[in-house]
Amino acid sequence: MSAAAMFRALSDEQGFLVEAARDALGRVATLEAARAALDGGPAPDLWPLACEAGWAGLLVAEDAGGAALSAAEATLVLEECGRRLADARLLGHLPATALLGAAPDAGGGLLGQLADGTRRAALVDPAVGGRGGRLTLRRDGAVARATGHVPGVLDAPGADVLVLVGEDEEGLPAAGVVAAEAGGVALDAVAGYDATRAVGDVALDDLEVRVLDLAPARARDGADLQRLLLAAESVGAASAALELARDYAVDRVAFGRPIGSYQAIKHKLVEMLRRTEGARSVVIAAARQWDEERERFALTANAARVTAADALGFCALESIFVHGGVGATWEHDASLTYRRAEHARRLAGGTTAAADAVAQALFALVPAADRTTTPREVSGQHVRS
């Protein structure tokens, strides 16, 4: 048993959830669909499967029709999605429902529709969009005027509801909600290196939206949760890359010996395992803090995002090396994992933004008189390394 597995110690219910997720995803040819999407085929639509499994309402309260589970269960599902290179559109939907559920004025009817999958939501927050995004929410009582442009919004294409997080008149985080088909919303799907992803640019032109009654500190929780879920998905994909390389190293014989018996291959596999388990441990810690220590959640969620992206990037590349030339071919699954790794590194604000968030959170714990460098210098060292 790995260190991360012992640390996690799944409950019976969580174990059933993982088994159910593996069973459900195992009935779908996700890898074949991902390859077909590269050739121009339609991206696999896993939303019906997600709704049937109850994943759409994982973070919605029971009285609104949800499962009332927490970030820990959500990361378990996302890890299994990553293991199959599946994208069930949960990275946009779950953080949006978490924010709506935290607002006392969200409305049970809307939450119920999101919980049963009748409607799908996406989180529109410049903090987890592409570079150059900006969104303002000028309040006027229970409504606000939303203006801005957020590129690279995960799962925006096809979403029915947009949960917005921008800045109010005082520069503080503020949240609102609007229907995606409302006039004043422009949504353009953009193609990505990973064809299974649904990513879009969202523009809002002085649009009236309903304000969500959330404290500024809570309004940013959705962005941090999305980074954590993306980290969990990356850990799953890294595990799949490791298992693919391990199996090939056992089966492939060169000069009369399995290639896994050579020291160079052993070292690669061990390092893949070390980085994957390390990232999984940080994901587990962050998921716990969602419930138990929310004030530290941003720090660990962003740390999970950075370590998981590093682990996936390393494992995807090393898996190709272990496979040799065949791993880099169009037909091999290792190339799909590499696409997932390269695209995932740039999503949800990218790993640079996550490293910046970690540095900012750590510096906030140090008295100003004791600081000898800046948060940007620290996060920049990580990016260069």
Side-chain angles (χ1 to χ4, degrees):
M1 181 182 290
S2 68
M6 289 188 288
F7 181 42
R8 177 148 60 189
L10 297 180
S11 66
D12 290 343
E13 291 76 12
Q14 289 174 330
F16 294 147
L17 180 64
V18 170
E19 290 179 11
R22 289 180 179 174
D23 181 62
L25 292 167
R27 295 195 297 269
V28 184
T30 52
L31 293 176
E32 290 80 356
R35 186 172 293 105
L38 289 176
D39 288 325
D45 182 9
L46 299 179
W47 185 244
L49 181 149
C51 297
E52 182 182 358
W55 300 339
L58 275 178
L59 303 182
V60 177
E62 284 184 307
D63 57 6
L69 297 177
S70 188
E73 286 75 19
T75 58
L76 294 176
V77 172
L78 264 297
E79 184 175 332
E80 293 309 314
C81 289
R83 191 183 297 275
R84 298 281 305 178
L85 296 188
D87 186 354
R89 307 295 187 253
L90 297 172
L91 291 171
H93 182 81
L94 291 181
T97 59
L99 273 191
L100 279 169
D105 55 345
L110 174 58
L111 272 172
Q113 293 173 335
L114 296 175
D116 66 19
T118 307
R119 305 177 78 184
R120 188 163 64 78
L123 176 68
V124 183
D125 183 343
V128 285
R131 293 181 179 177
R134 181 173 173 79
L135 179 60
T136 59
L137 296 175
R138 306 296 181 190
R139 298 185 189 225
D140 183 11
V143 299
R145 310 297 300 186
T147 301
H149 173 248
V150 183
V153 177
L154 264 167
D155 299 339
D160 306 291
V161 176
L162 302 178
V163 175
L164 313 174
V165 179
E167 292 183 349
D168 64 11
E169 299 87 342
E170 299 175 354
L172 298 173
V177 60
V178 67
E181 69 269 18
V185 176
L187 200 162
D188 296 315
V190 295
Y193 190 54
D194 179 357
T196 65
R197 297 291 195 194
V199 179
D201 296 341
V202 177
L204 305 164
D205 183 15
D206 193 31
L207 174 68
E208 182 176 298
V209 302
R210 183 160 63 86
V211 170
L212 294 175
D213 185 16
L214 285 172
R218 296 282 72 84
R220 290 297 186 202
D221 281 351
D224 295 323
L225 179 60
Q226 185 174 87
R227 286 172 174 158
L228 172 61
L229 297 179
L230 184 57
E233 188 198 75
S234 296
V235 167
S239 299
L242 169 59
E243 292 163 6
L244 198 65
R246 178 204 60 197
D247 293 346
Y248 186 78
V250 170
D251 293 337
R252 173 65 171 165
V253 175
F255 303 108
R257 296 165 52 190
I259 64 171
S261 66
Y262 292 100
Q263 196 78 331
I265 301 298
K266 289 180 182 175
H267 286 177
K268 287 184 182 298
L269 295 174
V270 168
E271 183 63 12
M272 292 166 73
L273 176 64
R274 187 187 70 83
R275 295 195 186 210
T276 301
E277 291 300 319
R280 180 177 284 117
S281 296
V282 185
V283 167
I284 295 168
R288 285 183 177 176
Q289 289 191 330
W290 174 262
D291 286 326
E292 300 171 2
E293 200 175 10
R294 187 67 66 89
E295 63 275 14
R296 296 290 184 94
F297 176 69
L299 170 60
T300 49
N302 284 281
R305 170 83 176 98
V306 175
T307 54
D310 285 349
L312 176 54
F314 182 85
C315 291
L317 197 58
E318 291 294 64
S319 181
I320 291 176
F321 288 154
V322 170
H323 281 84
V326 68
T329 60
W330 182 265
E331 293 79 8
H332 201 277
D333 291 344
S335 64
L336 297 175
T337 307
Y338 181 76
R339 286 179 175 275
R340 170 61 62 98
E342 287 300 303
H343 198 199
R345 182 184 293 278
R346 293 162 176 79
L347 294 173
T351 52
T352 300
D356 285 345
V358 172
Q360 293 283 356
L362 289 174
F363 267 67
L365 302 175
V366 179
D370 296 337
R371 298 173 188 171
T372 59
T373 184
T374 66
R376 185 59 187 170
E377 288 170 345
V378 173
S379 63
Q381 289 173 5
H382 165 81
V383 172
R384 285 193 296 274
S385 66

